[in-house]
Structures are given as structure tokens and as C-alpha cells.
Amino acid sequence: MRVQFTVTNTEYAELQQLAAAAGYPDVPSYCRDISLKVRTYAEMWKEITEKIAAMPSGKQFALRDLIKTPPANLGRKLYDNQSLLSIKVNSKKDALHTNTFIKL
């Protein structure tokens, strides 16, 4: 099910700041966790970024190598934040047809 709401540009900018300050990769993840107070994307994102930062250059990995049972949209966040994380998507998918990444 999809839940949507409308905000002004000013409100969206405030949500972006709140999401970033709380360690979230984006506003929708922040809004979901704040609303439901359940599994937090901020914790998962922190774990992902720490593990990537500790990786040696050239290491190949999939998101599931970093955290157990990742939500699908978290893979999209990983893909969208390649430059921030110093990674790049590998041109070949793995045996499960999942994107893999290479640490730069």
C-alpha cells in the first residue's frame, strides 16, 4: 500500500535536513521510520556506510553481504549514492541477478 502527502518546498527542505541529521539516505525512509517507529533505515544505512568505508579498494560485494534481509528500496539508495560511498556498480550481476558493487 502506498501512503502519500503533500508538503511545500520549505517543508521538504526541512524534511531533508531532518533526514540527513538523523542519518537517513532520503526523506521517504525517514518519514516511514518516524511514522511507524519500527526497523530504522538510519541504523541499516549507518551499518552499510561503515562496512563500505572499512572495505579495501577493489572489493566486490552485494547489499545482502552487508546486512541481512535488506529491503529492496535500500538497494536503490545504495545505487543512488555511489559517489558518496566511493563505490561503483559492477557491469555484471551475480548469480541471483542482483546488482553487485565495487569499492573504489
Side-chain angles (χ1 to χ4, degrees):
M1 177 177 274
R2 182 181 188 99
V3 176
Q4 293 179 281
F5 61 96
T6 304
V7 295
T8 65
N9 288 341
T10 303
E11 290 169 330
Y12 187 72
E14 184 177 348
L15 285 171
Q16 286 177 308
Q17 291 175 345
L18 290 168
Y24 283 81
D26 60 24
V27 170
S29 299
Y30 172 75
C31 290
R32 181 181 187 280
D33 282 357
I34 291 301
S35 299
L36 297 176
K37 298 179 182 171
V38 292
R39 185 178 186 189
T40 68
Y41 278 77
E43 291 171 4
M44 289 185 283
W45 188 249
K46 181 180 179 191
E47 184 176 350
I48 288 168
T49 57
E50 288 174 351
K51 287 182 177 181
I52 290 173
M55 279 181 194
S57 183
K59 177 155 176 76
Q60 184 175 322
F61 65 94
L63 177 57
R64 69 177 173 276
D65 298 330
L66 304 177
I67 60 172
K68 287 185 175 186
T69 322
N73 62 349
L74 196 54
R76 179 64 193 195
K77 308 312 177 218
L78 190 67
Y79 185 88
D80 289 345
N81 287 285
Q82 291 178 68
S83 60
L84 175 72
L85 298 170
S86 298
I87 61 174
K88 69 175 183 175
V89 70
N90 191 355
S91 60
K92 295 181 182 178
K93 295 187 183 232
D94 66 8
L96 298 173
H97 303 291
T98 303
N99 279 338
T100 58
F101 298 86
I102 301 170
K103 169 73 179 201
L104 301 176

